[in-house]
Amino acid sequence: MGAPAPVRIGNCSGFYGDRLSAMREMLVGGELDYLTGDYLAELTMLILGRDRMKHPERGYAKTFLTQLEECLGLAQDRGVRIVANAGGLNPAGLADAVRALAERLGVPVRVAYVDGDDLSPRAEELGLGKPLTANAYLGAWGIVDCLNAGADVVVTGRVTDASVTVGPAAAHFGWGRTDYDQLAGAVVAGHVIECGIQATGGNFSFFTEIPDLSYAGFPLAEIHADGSSVITKHPGTGGLVSVDTVTAQLLYEITGARYANPDVTARMDTIELSSDGDDRVRVSGVAGEPPPPTLKVSLNSIGGFRNSMTFVLTGLDIDAKAALVRRQLEDALTVKPAELEWTLARTDHEDADTEEAASALLRCVVRDPDPANVGRQFSSAAVELALASYPGFTVTAPPGDGQVYGVFTPGFVDAAKVRHTAVHADGTRIEIPCATDTLELEPADAPALPEPLAGTPTRRVPLGRIAAARSGDKGGSANVGVWVRTDEQWRWLANTLTVELLKDLLPETAHLPVTRHLLPNLRAVNFVIDGILGQGVAYQARFDPQAKGLGEWLRSRHVDIPEGLL
């Protein structure tokens, strides 16, 4: 007997709000065994938490139901099983809604769900405080149990993003809990496809190389019994699957060589990528280790109230104008907010040919537990300066009230204290045991640096002339992964782009803890910048609150690059 055929697992959602038509496109575009969707992010859990406060029966991604309305019968006809984390804070409620939809459509489907990630009722008992939401990141074995029991649709709450891919693969091949290399390979494949079009050319540094990015196809993974995979997309769809587009997604929102999941720790430093034909990239060699004994917990709380005003400063004396209005506004506030931050974006150009190009933006952000301290008391005080401040005074918005903002905090809890449960279509509840073979998560040994390049003439140009980057948020921290395409470029990058140089190139990181990780197989350097996003995305500590443009800023900075590499 030959090796079993690979299982084809597609993705149709990278976030809550992704392309609605993607589910249908993936079902009609080519052969699939499973279709997955990732609808959850740290910010999404806060949004769903506030939704549940108003409507206790909600708390799930409603767009998933919209997609199923058109596609449930199509999936049944094609024999495609659906696994999605769209259940958010209420997977049981979403499962009921899917069943009601199926009954109304006359489509006989078996709907199961995975429960147990919501730790909110026990948050204090577990030492997690009193958050609005507290959700443990579960693994794939509840999904496996539901699929093995015959479910056509499995919805979950907060499982790890890769788990919706690992579950179908493990069920299909009958992997065991200690098949770590196979599970790690599926984690990596899931990590690649979880963010949808980011694997087929979206948000890609060398975007001009991507054909037909106006309507790129979503990715799929052909996963083999040994855990290796081929990342591809349906024929005839836009975008591109290449070693570079896959590398970009592999570096998204990771830390170092060890990528922990509840079922396995994948060694990112063992990944081997190779072309397997047009729009096909083979991922192989992934090694796995036992998972850590704890589960990460996503904690979202209401941090207080926030408001902001943006002043437009035009023409000459920008710094003096900014200093004047800053002094005036701070003197005018009868009650000082708990936090008051100023940022000046020098978007102005000398001798500009348009007024907009001659203008800079001065932004003031205030936060306070009391909404009165950041409401009209603040914004009206800013507007009242209109005829008494710098020449050309104008603001970008009228005065308004403060808005609630959230705070994200990561937590950890002993996996044995989390009740991971698979709930079958007939209501049977199966408790899923946590991993018993575990390994404390420790940083991997740093690899040796490659031999430096011999001294050659250099040219001062943007780093992005030879390097690509991908960046993203992880709570209050951000990562920036930078990679190059040739071994010679790698020798230069690994020896040149140090933590010290990064801090010089990105001055706002100068006083923050920064850790560098080398991934030679990917010719990549990954930086983790702690605290750059304050208390998470909803806190909005900076101009780019999710750090999505951080890598592109880095690529735009000028460095001395050997001419032979350009």
Side-chain angles (χ1 to χ4, degrees), residues 55 58 88 94-95 131 192 223 238-239 269 334 364 470 548 555-556 559:
H55 307 282
R58 293 186 189 170
L94 178 57
V192 173
I223 301 179
D269 54 350
T334 55
C364 181
R470 176 65 63 79
K548 303 304 184 188
R555 292 182 67 240
S556 75
V559 294

Side-chain angles (χ1 to χ4, degrees), residues 81 116 136 198 250 264 275 308 315 321 325 344 390-391 397 411 419 427 446 457 467 478 486 492 506 531 555:
R81 301 164 83 178
Q198 280 195 168
L250 284 173
V264 63
S275 176
S308 66
K321 290 172 179 174
V325 73
L344 175 60
Y390 62 88
R419 301 164 188 145
T486 71
W492 174 83
L506 306 182
R555 292 182 67 240

Side-chain angles (χ1 to χ4, degrees), residues 223-236:
I223 301 179
H224 294 257
D226 64 355
S228 65
S229 63
V230 171
I231 307 300
T232 184
K233 61 188 184 68
H234 285 325

Side-chain angles (χ1 to χ4, degrees), residues 206-229:
F206 300 126
F207 64 94
T208 57
E209 300 176 2
I210 307 298
D212 194 17
L213 193 53
S214 60
Y215 209 81
F218 276 66
L220 65 95
E222 298 172 353
I223 301 179
H224 294 257
D226 64 355
S228 65
S229 63

